[in-house]
Amino acid sequence: MSQIYKLRELSFLVYGLGLSGCSVIKFFKKNKIKNFKVWDDKKKNLLKNHRTKNLKQTLKQIDYIVLAPGINLEKNKNLVKFKKKIITDLDLFYLTNNKSKTIVVTGTNGKSTTCKLLEHLLKNNKFKISLGGNIGTPILDLKIKKNCYVVIEASSFQLSHSQFIHPDYAFLLNITNDHLDWHGNKTNYTNSKLKIFMHQKSSQFALIGKKLKKVFKKKNFKSKLIVPK
């Protein structure tokens, strides 16, 4: 049974109807995933037919909460006890992608530049390429061709709640103090970035800056480590 058929058997709450949330809705409709509800604290007139009338009850009943990037659990207390149910649009992509190789880039600084350089290099070498994620086009809105490379810019907000992401090539550029008000402390911020390696296989690659080599090795990740000289 394909992953799409499995997703059709599950129930979802799309929490947050910004760019990524609306792309999730389009993805669900395109793939005939009908058992979903939506919630947005501010956009109360959007997708009225799917809006839940009882948020607390829905949170208990659904299988997964597809959370928009940037929504802080500390400011949304209803979500805290359901943290294990939370996934992202990146997870939906990885649960259903069987066409392409993926390159995920994260780090405090330089993500967008690195993604654009990778796109340029791959195109110049005649590879089929799609670019999206935090850099602009939501990942579920990309038109993925068979045997192409998908370059994804991933923020710490996205990675913090992702559960199924497993890039073929994962880049962690650097980590400096940033978004600590959202993550709480630097340890949480660092751990959110390191999640790009958590589910990688031994056949996949991790590319990191020299200063993060020790942090990577302490975690005993399975992927092949590449550190620039």
Side-chain angles (χ1 to χ4, degrees), residues 158-172:
Q158 289 172 302
L159 293 173
S160 181
H161 299 305
S162 293
Q163 296 191 41
F164 302 108
I165 181 173
H166 53 275
D168 295 286
Y169 302 89
F171 285 71
L172 176 53

Side-chain angles (χ1 to χ4, degrees), residues 4-215:
I4 288 293
Y5 283 103
K6 289 180 182 178
L7 291 179
R8 287 175 187 164
E9 295 175 355
L10 300 173
S11 57
F12 300 88
L13 173 68
V14 182
Y15 198 112
L17 295 173
L19 277 178
S20 66
C22 289
S23 74
V24 170
I25 302 300
K26 285 191 283 183
F27 171 82
F28 282 165
K29 290 183 176 180
K30 178 183 175 182
N31 291 287
K32 299 179 182 178
I33 298 167
K34 298 178 180 179
N35 194 1
F36 70 90
K37 294 184 181 297
V38 305
W39 181 265
D40 191 295
D41 294 327
K42 297 177 181 177
K43 299 176 182 178
K44 296 181 179 179
N45 293 319
L46 193 60
L47 292 159
K48 274 188 174 181
N49 291 339
H50 286 283
R51 185 177 172 87
T52 178
K53 294 177 181 177
N54 189 326
L55 179 59
K56 289 184 178 180
Q57 184 177 346
T58 300
L59 288 168
K60 291 176 184 177
Q61 292 175 341
I62 48 90
D63 295 301
Y64 286 109
I65 304 160
V66 188
L67 192 66
I71 290 180
N72 191 332
L73 296 193
E74 293 304 314
K75 294 179 181 179
N76 292 268
K77 299 296 184 181
N78 285 324
L79 293 171
V80 174
K81 65 175 73 173
F82 302 104
K83 192 174 181 179
K84 290 182 179 179
K85 291 184 177 185
I86 294 175
I87 60 173
T88 68
D89 57 340
L90 291 181
D91 291 313
L92 292 171
F93 171 77
Y94 272 96
L95 285 170
T96 55
N97 173 56
N98 56 10
K99 293 181 178 180
S100 59
K101 295 282 188 181
T102 61
I103 303 170
V104 175
V105 180
T106 195
T108 307
N109 301 299
K111 295 187 292 296
S112 296
T113 301
T114 302
C115 286
K116 288 175 182 177
L117 283 170
L118 287 167
E119 180 189 32
H120 175 75
L121 289 168
L122 288 165
K123 276 185 176 178
N124 274 11
N125 285 279
K126 310 302 180 186
F127 289 98
K128 289 183 282 186
I129 171 77
S130 290
L131 172 63
N134 194 55
I135 198 169
T137 305
I139 189 66
L140 295 175
D141 282 351
L142 292 177
K143 294 180 181 179
I144 309 297
K145 296 179 181 179
K146 192 174 182 180
N147 298 323
C148 80
Y149 281 85
V150 182
V151 178
I152 304 166
E153 180 184 320
S155 70
S156 60
F157 304 141
Q158 289 172 302
L159 293 173
S160 181
H161 299 305
S162 293
Q163 296 191 41
F164 302 108
I165 181 173
H166 53 275
D168 295 286
Y169 302 89
F171 285 71
L172 176 53
L173 305 177
N174 46 57
I175 296 177
T176 57
N177 290 337
D178 198 11
H179 303 307
L180 300 191
D181 55 334
W182 194 95
H183 290 281
N185 54 57
K186 191 172 181 180
T187 298
N188 291 342
Y189 177 56
T190 300
N191 286 338
S192 72
K193 296 289 191 184
L194 291 171
K195 286 183 81 172
I196 56 170
F197 309 121
M198 190 176 293
H199 300 297
Q200 281 190 302
K201 301 172 185 176
S202 58
S203 59
Q204 297 172 320
F205 296 87
L207 301 95
I208 64 173
K210 282 184 183 179
K211 293 180 180 179
L212 297 169
K213 183 177 178 180
K214 289 182 180 178
V215 177

